Amino acid sequence: MDDKKYIQSVVSSSRPKKYPQNKILLDKKNLEKALQLKGLKIQLKESLKGGFISQVYSANLDGKDVVVKHTSGSIPSDPTEMYLDKKSHNVDCQVLKNLQSNHKIKVPKLLYDFPNITTSVMENLYSQGFKLMQNKIFDKNLPINAAERVGRMIGNLIIESRTWKKFSVVQTAIMSIYERGLELRQSYPNSQKEYLELEKKYVENNKFWSWPDCHPKNIFVNKKGEVAFIDFGYSQWGDQRFVLPSHLAHIVIYCLAGYIGSDLAKEYIEKCVSAYREIEPIDELLFCQYLAMEVFHRANGKWITGIDTKKQKLALLKFGYTVFDEKIYIINKLLNLL
Ligand SMILES: Nc1ncnc2c1ncn2[C@@H]1O[C@H](COP(=O)(O)OP(=O)(O)OP(=O)(O)O)[C@@H](O)[C@H]1O
Ligand SMILES: [Mg+2]
């Protein structure tokens, strides 16, 4: 039997047949040299993140603490993944530039952007007294005093981005929902209706900008409950109504996985939702469906840490199935599942 002919790989219709050649990431020494050749008096220090698509270092620039982010592309290693273009660097920097002087939305100051080596130099949020929300969650210390600010800042970001001129992105709406919705699709293999309805909404509402990556790994908070957002490389022109449920799905996920107490998670979600609502209305049905889709997406721990055990994974799956099977499409009822 010709297995090549009969095995149907999982591919998105927008997936390119051939990927561009991908240069390997510059290592620490070469990156430091490349930046010095650009005229910067810079020394790279410890790695804040190293991986396939980006390396982030703390650094010293003229005696000041900064962060250097170098981005590369990534060729998919399994058929459910997408090609990740190093030009996500340009998207990240474009969004940072659009927000530099905005008083309602805090992002790090962008000090230098070097597109030809896909590297940026930014203000170091750690040295400004900020901590990553994700780490606070893992310390069982969800920053409840940041809930309203996060809700308000997401609302303001959505409103502000409607004034932006369209810029090129590396991930289209269909790529984004395809990747994030795959687990929902596989959860209802015989109809796929649940996924397909959301795909249509996400793709058709593409007049404005959407940032699905607003999870606790991309949000900084300080003691006062002030908030800063990072990491916009995989944002796109798609349904903005996904941004808030995408964020709050992670509060649900870490609650169900045992890092956040149920009452605290509910309080965070209620505060965040009501602050957002003062700025932008919420379609509760769509909110609940998008949120449950993201919970399915993370149910096996995809792209996040902390979801490791059978108990945690089953709790996430149970939540997702309950929302869709029992049509729990009101936020208050959704909270009863925690
Ligand atoms: N301006 C900054 N100040 C302090 N730390 C930063 C800053 N930017 C990035 N970092 C650190 O580097 C990590 C990775 O940064 P970022 O999220 O922008 O890159 P990424 O390649 O998208 O990473 P990931 O895949 O982990 O989301 C952050 O979680 C944070 O710890
Ligand atoms: Mg990130």
Side-chain angles (χ1 to χ4, degrees), residues 155 209 271 300 321:
W209 177 83
K271 285 187 166 160
N300 290 316
Y321 284 119

Side-chain angles (χ1 to χ4, degrees), residues 254-316:
Y254 287 122
C255 171
L256 296 171
Y259 301 95
I260 306 172
S262 164
D263 287 346
L264 196 63
K266 287 179 194 169
E267 188 187 340
Y268 182 98
I269 294 171
E270 278 165 356
K271 285 187 166 160
C272 192
V273 160
S274 65
Y276 177 93
R277 247 198 191 120
E278 283 173 23
I279 294 164
E280 180 70 4
I282 296 178
D283 174 336
E284 294 212 13
L285 183 145
L286 195 58
F287 174 99
C288 294
Q289 291 183 341
Y290 272 151
L291 188 149
M293 180 184 88
E294 183 74 10
V295 173
F296 268 127
H297 176 50
R298 304 295 197 185
N300 290 316
K302 193 166 188 183
W303 307 131
I304 55 170
T305 40
I307 310 302
D308 306 308
T309 65
K310 179 174 72 179
K311 195 174 163 210
Q312 291 170 323
K313 293 174 183 181
L314 289 176
L316 298 188

